[in-house]
Amino acid sequence: MEFTSTDGERRWAAVVRASAEVVVGLDFDGTLAPIVDDPAQAHIHDDAGDVLVSLAAQVRAVAVVTGRPARQALALGGLEEVGNAIGDAGKDLYLFGQYGNERWSSTNRRVVGPRPPAGLATFERELPRVLRRLDAAQAHVEGKGLAVAVHTRRLPDDDAAFERLLPELEELAHRHDLVVEPGRSVIEVRSPGMNKGVAVRTLVDELDAGGFVFAGDDLGDLEAFDAVDVLAADGMPTLLVASSSDEQGALVDRADVVVPGPDGVLDLLRRLTDEAAATRA
C-alpha cells in the first residue's frame, strides 16, 4: 500500500481512530474481483469473504457499490453467505447494484429497484445497427435490466473500438434520454439521476456515518470519489483508495492510497481491521 502524500497518512490515522463510525464502500470489479475477459466469470477474490467479515466487526458497516446488477453481484461474490456471517456479528452488509438503482442488505434480503428506464428498449433495438456500422458487431452486449453494457475487450483492437463507439453511443443514448458511463473497455448506458456518489451520500445519511472509506478502480467510481471529497471538506475522516493495475490507473491521481489490485485492497482492509482493533485493546 502506497500513500500518495503525507495527507494520505494523516487521513489513514484519522480513519483508524474513528473506525467504529466508519462506513467502508467497495467497488466490485477490479477492487474485490479480478478483471477477466468474461464478465460472467468475475468471481470475488477467494479471501474477500473472510476479510469483509473481520472488517465488519470493527466498522459501522461495509457496503459493496457496483455497476453490476445486484443479483449478479450477490452470486459472483457469495455475498449472501458473507452477509449471514456479518449479521451473526451484529453488523450489516449493504449492496448497491447498478450504480445504486438496486439495493440489498443482510437484514432486508430482497433486491429493491425501479422499472427499466424509458427509452432503453428502443436503444437496445437500435444498437446492433450502430455496432455493425462501426465494425464492432462482435462486441459483447450485456443486458442488465436497468442498463445495457457494450464490452470491447474481446475485439481485435479494443482500445480503438472503444474510441470509435463512445461518441456514437453517447449520441444514441442522448436521443433516448439516457446517460453513458464509460469504464475499462466497457460503455454502459442507463437512466440519469443515479451514480455511486449518490450511493455514498445515502449510506452516510442513513447510517449516520462518522467516517467513510471508498475503494475503486475505474471511471465509474469518480462520482463516489467526488462525494467522499465533499465529506472530507466538511471535516469527516475519509480515505480514498485506488485499486491500480498495469492497464488501469484512472483514479491514482485522486487517491490517498494506491494498492495493486484486489490483492492490495484486501491487504489494506486487513491492516485497517488490525489497527482499528488495536485502538480498542
Side-chain angles (χ1 to χ4, degrees):
M1 131 175 168
E2 177 184 349
F3 291 107
T4 58
S5 68
T6 54
D7 278 347
E9 297 181 49
R10 177 183 56 78
R11 290 182 177 180
W12 171 269
V15 162
V16 170
R17 289 193 298 270
S19 54
E21 301 178 354
V22 167
V23 174
V24 178
L26 302 158
D27 175 39
F28 190 85
D29 292 278
T31 302
L32 289 176
I35 295 293
V36 294
D37 286 342
D38 183 356
Q41 300 301 316
H43 294 280
I44 200 169
H45 191 290
D46 289 343
D47 297 337
D50 290 340
V51 170
L52 296 182
V53 172
S54 297
L55 172 67
Q58 303 299 329
V59 298
R60 176 67 54 86
V62 176
V64 176
V65 185
T66 175
R68 285 185 177 272
R71 290 181 180 84
Q72 189 181 77
L74 285 168
L76 292 172
L79 295 180
E80 294 205 54
E81 293 79 6
V82 175
N84 285 336
I86 289 176
D88 289 344
K91 295 297 182 75
D92 288 308
L93 174 67
Y94 295 87
L95 171 63
F96 284 67
Q98 303 219 42
Y99 296 89
N101 276 307
E102 296 180 327
R103 293 184 60 173
W104 175 95
S105 74
S106 54
T107 52
N108 182 18
R109 290 174 169 269
R110 65 188 185 94
V111 175
V112 179
R115 294 177 181 273
L120 185 63
T122 306
F123 175 90
E124 290 188 86
R125 285 197 299 271
E126 296 178 8
L127 179 60
R129 173 179 53 79
V130 175
L131 296 180
R132 288 193 299 271
R133 178 166 57 81
L134 296 174
D135 194 27
Q138 300 307 310
H140 174 56
V141 177
E142 178 188 7
K144 296 186 172 186
L146 300 178
V148 61
V150 180
H151 297 266
T152 63
R153 182 178 293 275
R154 300 178 188 176
L155 297 178
D157 188 342
D158 67 328
D159 290 338
F162 182 94
E163 295 301 324
R164 288 197 310 274
L165 287 172
L166 182 58
E168 297 280 349
L169 296 190
E170 285 177 331
E171 180 181 344
L172 181 60
H174 180 73
R175 291 206 302 269
H176 297 293
D177 297 319
L178 302 168
V179 297
V180 168
E181 188 80 53
R184 183 189 312 187
S185 300
V186 61
I187 302 166
E188 182 157 322
V189 177
R190 55 187 173 84
S191 59
M194 179 57 73
N195 57 57
K196 292 186 180 184
V198 176
V200 167
R201 293 191 290 274
T202 298
L203 286 162
V204 169
D205 292 343
E206 293 187 1
L207 300 177
D208 193 24
F212 209 99
V213 174
F214 192 88
D217 78 311
D218 204 353
L219 296 173
D221 299 307
L222 282 173
E223 288 94 346
F225 271 44
D226 290 341
V228 173
D229 278 343
V230 172
L231 299 174
D234 289 339
M236 181 181 289
T238 65
L239 191 77
L240 291 172
V241 182
S243 174
S244 183
S245 67
D246 290 341
E247 64 174 5
Q248 183 58 261
L251 303 179
V252 169
D253 291 341
R254 295 285 306 278
D256 301 308
V257 184
V258 179
V259 298
D263 285 323
V265 171
L266 296 183
D267 285 343
L268 179 145
L269 297 180
R270 291 186 187 98
R271 178 173 168 182
L272 177 58
T273 300
D274 291 345
E275 293 192 19
T279 65
R280 302 185 182 92

